[in-house]
Amino acid sequence: MDHFLYRDGALYAEDVPVAEIAAAVGTPFYVYSTATLLRHFRLFDEALEGTEHLVCYAMKAASNQAILKTLAQAGAGMDVVSQGEYLRAKAAGVPGDRIVFSGVGKTMEEVRVALSGGIRQFNVESEPEMAVINAVALELGVIAPITIRINPDVDAKTHAKIATGKSENKFGIPISRAKEVYAHAASLPGLEVVGIDCHIGSQLTDLEPFRLAYEKVAELTEVLRAEGHDIRRLDLGGGLGIPYERSNEAPPLPVEYGQLIKDTLGHLGCEIEIEPGRLIAGNAGLMVSKVIYVKSGEGRDFLIVDGAMNDLIRPAMYEAHHDIVAVDEPAPGVEQQPYDIVGPVCETGDTFAKERMMPPLAAGDLIAFRSAGAYGAVMASEYNSRPLIPEVLVHGDQFAVIRRRPDYDEMINRDTIPEWL
Ligand code: LLP
């Protein structure tokens, strides 16, 4: 459920007409709903009620300071994967003991920044990385809390580019080597092993792969405890999928996911961490765009819109489906027609949808890409020298620009000319 609904013939973001925001900030832009962000965070929080837990929002999904602050004030922790994300979390007021640091290639500098600023734990992905964290901890005279990310060799049954839990993926250490790697970690004086980490992929629409992975985590917990490791925290990653195509998708609910966690791991008495990103932010955001031209092609009509693949890359990169709706509600019974919906970028890949049934649209009409809150703005680029588009946050009947649109000079003047030119 989200808070982008038609009211009196117009699409609203909570209590603000989307067209009003478009008039104020121009198109294209991203708009997020505070109520939806908070609702989704709370669904996870409530799903784990009765178990000691922390929901660490995977901010790679959407990392605007205003979004982070909204979630942090509601009690969220953060999952970060770079120095930039760590500093964003701190800047949004998240205390270090609510930040977990994931990622396959943490540099020495990143480890130093996080250890100095405070960190809940590093999710370690390899032995060389473990050695670096140990060395930095000793240099700073602190102990680094760590989990080790195990790769359970489970097929997440999602798009190949976002599956991470198979042995051929670059993530984690093979579960078959866990005993050995944990023993090594325990021998390093700068580290304190606190638990196990596992993340098998993103946009999972079936609970079964989670079940398989978590059963392996449960088994490993017992094995490692028997070896003398104090496994008291389990980080279960993110990955629960969202309905991108509302007419025919109904992925499992957070409450069902929470129940699965309790069923597979509850008996161990561990503190549970989860790292959802997409489910919190995805349906909390739209990308709003304007039709520039309607072009009649051979056997098809193109809607050429002012948003493009550089603004929302998911369709081009993952063949992802986004529901697209007209901002003016179509009159009841209006006959829909197929359009290819494309951006202005000079690549055929700049296609959002093919033969998408839409009400008749004309130049100047606004459309909204649904489910664009996660992996939308954060993956945008300035390809074709198109400045990054603004982000807007709605809260009830208020809205605020939370990242403004840069002007062209700003974009161009970031370049510098060498003196020989
Ligand atoms: N934890 C770790 C270690 C991750 O690698 C990820 C996502 C998450 C948590 C959050 O997963 P989520 O709950 O959002 O599924 N750009 C792609 C998605 C990449 C996901 C990468 N890792 C997309 O647009 O579909």
Side-chain angles (χ1 to χ4, degrees):
M1 201 212 103
D2 63 42
H3 296 77
F4 301 108
L5 298 171
Y6 287 117
R7 209 187 282 176
D8 306 324
L11 187 65
Y12 273 65
E14 300 190 19
D15 298 327
V16 183
V18 167
E20 190 180 315
I21 305 172
V25 305
T27 55
F29 63 91
Y30 281 99
V31 55
Y32 308 96
S33 153
T34 300
T36 312
L37 286 166
L38 290 175
R39 178 185 143 78
H40 291 163
F41 165 71
R42 288 184 183 130
L43 287 177
F44 279 115
D45 207 28
E46 286 160 18
L48 292 175
E49 224 164 58
T51 308
E52 199 189 342
H53 69 274
L54 184 65
V55 179
C56 295
Y57 168 61
M59 72 152 80
K60 62 168 76 69
S63 57
N64 188 289
Q65 284 292 292
I67 293 175
L68 301 185
K69 201 154 196 153
T70 299
L71 293 170
Q73 285 180 354
M78 299 283 156
D79 170 46
V80 307
V81 293
S82 68
Q83 184 169 338
E85 286 196 349
Y86 177 83
L87 295 175
R88 275 187 182 275
K90 293 289 280 198
V94 184
D97 64 6
R98 278 204 266 144
I99 303 176
V100 302
F101 205 134
S102 303
V104 284
K106 303 170 200 77
T107 65
M108 193 172 261
E109 180 58 16
E110 288 180 318
V111 171
R112 194 173 286 125
V113 167
L115 266 182
S116 314
I119 191 80
R120 181 178 181 83
Q121 93 223 8
F122 293 98
N123 294 331
V124 175
E125 298 237 9
S126 67
E127 287 177 283
E129 183 186 76
M130 206 158 86
V132 163
I133 298 173
N134 179 58
V136 176
L138 293 178
E139 165 200 313
L140 295 175
V142 297
I143 303 283
I146 65 154
T147 70
I148 297 176
R149 178 169 178 179
I150 54 111
N151 185 325
D153 196 19
V154 164
D155 183 354
K157 300 203 168 67
T158 183
H159 192 286
K161 284 187 186 161
I162 53 176
T164 56
K166 286 289 285 173
S167 56
E168 67 262 29
N169 300 132
K170 67 181 174 183
F171 300 96
I173 57 137
I175 196 161
S176 55
R177 289 199 55 232
K179 255 164 93 168
E180 187 189 330
V181 178
Y182 270 84
H184 180 195
S187 75
L188 298 175
L191 303 184
E192 183 187 12
V193 177
V194 298
I196 303 173
D197 172 47
C198 174
H199 168 83
I200 57 173
S202 195
Q203 185 54 18
L204 273 71
T205 52
D206 180 2
L207 288 182
E208 218 33 47
F210 285 120
R211 177 186 303 282
L212 293 173
Y214 297 169
E215 280 168 0
K216 291 192 179 188
V217 170
E219 208 181 298
L220 181 63
T221 304
E222 316 248 27
V223 169
L224 294 175
R225 281 179 171 170
E227 298 276 306
H229 300 286
D230 181 13
I231 303 297
R232 53 187 184 273
R233 191 181 285 172
L234 302 176
D235 183 330
L236 303 174
L240 192 60
I242 63 171
Y244 277 100
E245 196 168 352
R246 282 166 200 233
S247 53
N248 68 12
E249 279 178 339
L253 303 172
V255 65
E256 296 166 321
Y257 174 68
Q259 193 56 49
L260 172 76
I261 291 174
K262 291 177 185 171
D263 291 348
T264 49
L265 300 158
H267 60 288
L268 297 165
C270 287
E271 179 181 11
I272 300 293
E273 291 166 357
I274 54 171
E275 303 170 348
R278 190 190 310 266
L279 201 143
I280 291 179
N283 285 333
L286 305 176
M287 184 179 83
V288 179
S289 185
K290 188 159 72 187
V291 177
I292 312 174
Y293 297 114
V294 182
K295 173 170 160 178
S296 297
E298 275 190 43
R300 63 183 70 214
D301 286 342
F302 293 97
L303 276 187
I304 302 174
V305 302
D306 61 1
M309 65 189 286
N310 69 298
D311 305 309
L312 176 64
I313 203 170
R314 302 193 68 262
M317 192 149 174
Y318 314 108
E319 297 83 39
H321 173 102
H322 285 262
D323 282 347
I324 304 172
V325 297
V327 168
D328 284 338
E329 186 175 19
V334 74
E335 198 168 327
Q336 304 224 330
Q337 62 180 89
Y339 288 107
D340 281 12
I341 302 177
V342 302
V345 162
C346 304
E347 293 197 27
T348 303
D350 187 21
T351 297
F352 290 117
K354 288 196 160 160
E355 307 206 318
R356 184 65 66 86
M357 296 307 285
M358 299 287 291
L361 289 163
D365 286 345
L366 296 173
I367 60 170
F369 293 78
R370 287 186 159 280
S371 312
Y375 307 110
V378 287
M379 293 182 79
S381 77
E382 292 178 338
Y383 185 40
N384 277 212
S385 287
R386 296 166 47 87
L388 293 182
I389 66 176
E391 295 179 283
V392 172
L393 183 65
V394 170
H395 179 47
D397 61 2
Q398 310 173 60
F399 72 92
V401 174
I402 55 173
R403 191 178 67 197
R404 65 179 178 78
R405 194 188 305 277
D407 64 30
Y408 285 99
D409 283 345
E410 237 175 295
M411 182 177 70
I412 294 166
N413 292 335
R414 278 205 315 266
D415 298 357
T416 49
I417 306 286
E419 60 186 23
W420 63 83
L421 286 177

